[in-house]
Amino acid sequence: MTNFVILMLACGLVTWIPRIVPFLFSKKLVFPKPFTIFLSYLPLCILAALLVQNLLIFREGQFPILKVKETIACIPALLVGYYTKDLMKIVITGVIAMALLRFFF
């Protein structure tokens, strides 16, 4: 049992280090203005790519197909995001909307 716990903690640390350490170093650095502007667009681009990937089904040689339940669940999450700008509220709204859709349909 202790080997398993040690393994899980080590896996968590190995996953955590490459995700957190760059942020710690980047806080102490001063980047040029064009690079800072470029970096400001990255979160939006990444989130848009994740959103499109999860709302569409891609098959070779065919047009993308829209996932209807996911798209409907996305609408209240987008509205909450627009009005609150709070990531936790967006995630909770999306999870609840998807759960309700899966339960009732």
Side-chain angles (χ1 to χ4, degrees), residues 10-101:
C11 288
L13 185 66
V14 168
T15 302
W16 184 75
I17 288 173
R19 295 175 188 215
I20 301 301
V21 171
F23 290 111
L24 298 175
F25 285 125
S26 68
K27 284 184 177 182
K28 298 183 192 280
L29 296 174
V30 177
F31 296 110
K33 186 155 178 77
F35 189 67
T36 305
I37 292 171
F38 168 74
L39 288 178
S40 71
Y41 290 110
L42 283 180
L44 178 62
C45 294
I46 291 169
L47 289 174
L50 289 171
L51 183 65
V52 169
Q53 178 184 2
N54 286 303
L55 294 182
L56 298 174
I57 299 171
F58 296 96
R59 293 192 180 130
E60 190 175 333
Q62 296 180 355
F63 284 111
I65 301 169
L66 188 66
K67 294 180 183 178
V68 177
K69 284 184 186 177
E70 286 82 351
T71 303
I72 293 171
C74 182
I75 294 168
L78 288 172
L79 290 172
V80 167
Y82 180 76
Y83 288 111
T84 67
K85 311 286 192 278
D86 185 354
L87 186 58
M88 185 58 72
K89 290 176 184 172
I90 297 168
V91 171
I92 291 171
T93 303
V95 168
I96 291 172
M98 194 67 219
L100 290 172
L101 283 169

